[in-house]
Amino acid sequence: MHAVEHTALVLDGLTQRALSFRVECDTLSLDEIEAQPEAFVLALLMPCMATGQNLVCEAPVDGQLLYNLNTQLVPFLCSRYSSLKPVKIMAPTKSFVHPDVAIGRHVLAMSCGLDALTAYAELSGPDSPPALQPEALLFNDIGAFGRGEAKQAHDLELVERFAKDRALPLVRLTSNMGEFGGPAYPNAYSCRGAAAAWALKGGVARKVTYASGTDYVHMGCLDQMADMGAFDPITFPMMSNSGLEIYSSGFRHTRSSKFELLLTHPELMGYLNTCLRSVDRKGGFINCGQCKKCSELLFRAEAMGCLDALAPSFNVEAFKKTRWFLAEKLVYNAYKPSPSDNSIDTLDSIARHGGRVGVSGRVLGLIAAGTKRGVSRAKRLVGVVR
């Protein structure tokens, strides 16, 4: 096991706390990884914007990045989130020496979720150029594990098996940046991910790719999007420089088209981990089959005639037993006043493949048809409810 940890002291008023990044890898030497002030700046940016405090860094920061943060990223985030305040990032600058060939590997963040597996399938495919082929995988612990340590250990074990089966180095990064406040994880995801990428710069990574959870359709309604990940094609270039590219893959796909793509890669299906539930509620399966993400994926599979093929990793029997209730939840989530785009996408997929939701969804559909968005989608529901 190779490991390196870098720590910075953060002074907030009279309180002094340590912000740390720990990087571990079984197969790669981490000797060339140096402390990157840029990682600490990005980790603290949104907590500072939440309180309106300027961010002062005593260590030199890449001049290109500092300029982009002050003139591009901070104004953009303020325009999207009314809760954030404009701040100034102040630090001495350093000039980046542009090498002929960027140092490090292309590292793909991996969770074994649908988005990440689809990104791997595309980037490792025959049509992907060599520069985009994943050369290492990254497992981040930067505040996303709301279901506790058991869920984290469960997810990590699956990713470790995935990496081992593909003979790819797996880099594990842990940071306590979530302890410094600021917006909730979904609204701070991109800045935290960029901070993790900068912590790997040089010694490990020249390019870090994160899988997108949204599609380009949503770029036309940014005012309705709270999840910062929806802005990755805009914000990631602002947090990159010529020595480290932070990239987002998968925006051209809906969740349904990702599932259809993954079905063409049966060798990856056994790793699929889409479940939202804690480990003790999975019934011994990787995926419980009944939470929102599981059930919506299984409704798609049912419409496509491949439901039972997912039985090794999904609790398909639990889905079948409670299908009537899950159908009601699906229709409700698609037609409620603040509808779920993934639920709408699921209904579209069911209709496209000639599937049916069921009788119980009809009542909720009629109720939802009285809502603003329900009226516009009432005809769509008629095709999938019987």
Side-chain angles (χ1 to χ4, degrees):
M1 166 73 73
H2 304 279
V4 62
E5 184 167 351
H6 295 128
T7 301
L9 293 180
V10 179
L11 183 62
D12 182 4
L14 298 177
T15 304
Q16 185 171 277
R17 291 186 291 169
L19 171 60
S20 65
F21 290 88
R22 180 176 175 82
V23 182
E24 301 175 348
C25 187
D26 292 334
T27 56
L28 296 179
S29 171
L30 304 177
D31 295 340
E32 296 183 12
I33 290 186
E34 299 179 354
Q36 302 289 340
E38 296 83 358
F40 296 96
V41 167
L42 285 165
L44 294 170
L45 176 58
M46 293 196 79
C48 286
M49 293 183 70
T51 60
Q53 300 179 75
N54 288 334
L55 200 167
V56 180
C57 179
E58 295 182 351
V61 172
D62 175 71
Q64 179 182 342
L65 177 69
L66 187 65
Y67 178 84
N68 286 341
L69 296 184
N70 278 320
T71 65
Q72 304 294 326
L73 185 62
V74 169
F76 177 80
L77 293 177
C78 287
S79 73
R80 304 265 59 91
Y81 300 105
S82 59
S83 61
L84 298 180
K85 303 173 178 63
V87 300
K88 182 74 173 178
I89 305 156
M90 294 174 279
T93 60
K94 60 184 178 184
S95 298
F96 176 73
V97 179
H98 302 274
D100 294 332
V101 179
I103 301 171
R105 296 167 172 78
H106 177 200
V107 180
L108 172 64
M110 179 53 61
S111 65
C112 285
L114 180 60
D115 301 324
L117 288 179
T118 303
Y120 175 82
E122 288 201 308
L123 295 173
S124 63
D127 296 332
S128 176
L132 288 179
Q133 295 279 333
E135 299 166 296
L137 302 177
L138 169 63
F139 185 85
N140 275 338
D141 179 8
I142 53 177
F145 291 99
R147 298 295 188 272
E149 293 182 2
K151 175 76 163 64
Q152 178 185 358
H154 169 273
D155 292 358
L156 175 58
E157 181 180 3
L158 194 63
V159 173
E160 286 176 335
R161 178 160 61 88
F162 180 85
K164 181 179 179 181
D165 291 347
R166 274 143 196 84
L168 286 173
L170 175 63
V171 179
R172 298 178 293 280
L173 184 141
T174 304
S175 175
N176 66 334
M177 66 179 88
E179 299 174 3
F180 286 79
Y185 179 78
N187 292 351
Y189 154 80
S190 300
C191 282
R192 293 192 190 185
W198 273 92
L200 304 178
K201 180 182 177 294
V204 172
R206 58 175 173 80
K207 179 187 186 81
V208 177
T209 295
Y210 290 98
S212 165
T214 54
D215 61 89
Y216 280 124
V217 172
H218 297 122
M219 299 300 287
C221 53
L222 291 181
D223 289 339
Q224 302 173 24
M225 300 300 295
D227 188 334
M228 190 181 180
F231 312 133
D232 285 350
I234 300 172
T235 60
F236 275 169
M238 299 177 187
M239 295 184 278
S240 303
N241 76 354
S242 51
L244 176 71
E245 181 183 5
I246 308 171
Y247 183 73
S248 182
S249 175
F251 262 82
R252 70 190 182 97
H253 294 294
T254 65
R255 193 160 180 83
S256 290
S257 65
K258 287 179 181 178
F259 179 58
E260 292 169 13
L261 173 63
L262 196 62
L263 287 175
T264 65
H265 293 268
E267 73 280 5
L268 302 181
M269 291 299 296
Y271 303 95
L272 181 58
N273 177 19
T274 191
C275 190
L276 293 171
R277 286 184 171 176
S278 56
V279 174
D280 59 347
R281 299 182 64 198
K282 292 177 181 288
F285 291 82
I286 295 175
N287 301 280
C288 73
Q290 294 178 304
C291 70
K292 184 178 185 295
K293 279 193 173 183
C294 285
S295 61
E296 290 184 356
L297 186 141
L298 293 180
F299 273 116
R300 296 182 182 103
E302 182 185 59
M304 296 174 66
C306 60
L307 177 62
D308 290 333
L310 301 183
S313 54
F314 284 79
N315 192 341
V316 172
E317 289 305 313
F319 169 79
K320 290 179 178 179
K321 289 178 181 178
T322 55
R323 186 190 183 282
W324 61 273
F325 174 67
L326 298 173
E328 288 189 359
K329 289 177 63 178
L330 170 62
V331 176
Y332 171 76
N333 284 326
Y335 284 81
K336 62 184 180 179
S338 298
S340 162
D341 289 302
N342 281 333
S343 299
I344 295 168
D345 174 60
T346 303
L347 287 180
D348 286 345
S349 178
I350 294 171
R352 190 167 61 251
H353 291 96
R356 295 292 184 268
V357 168
V359 176
S360 62
R362 184 186 297 273
V363 174
L364 282 174
L366 292 174
I367 295 173
T371 67
K372 184 176 180 180
R373 284 187 76 166
V375 170
S376 66
R377 290 187 168 86
K379 292 182 180 180
R380 180 177 299 171
L381 182 63
V382 171
V384 297
V385 176
R386 181 173 60 189

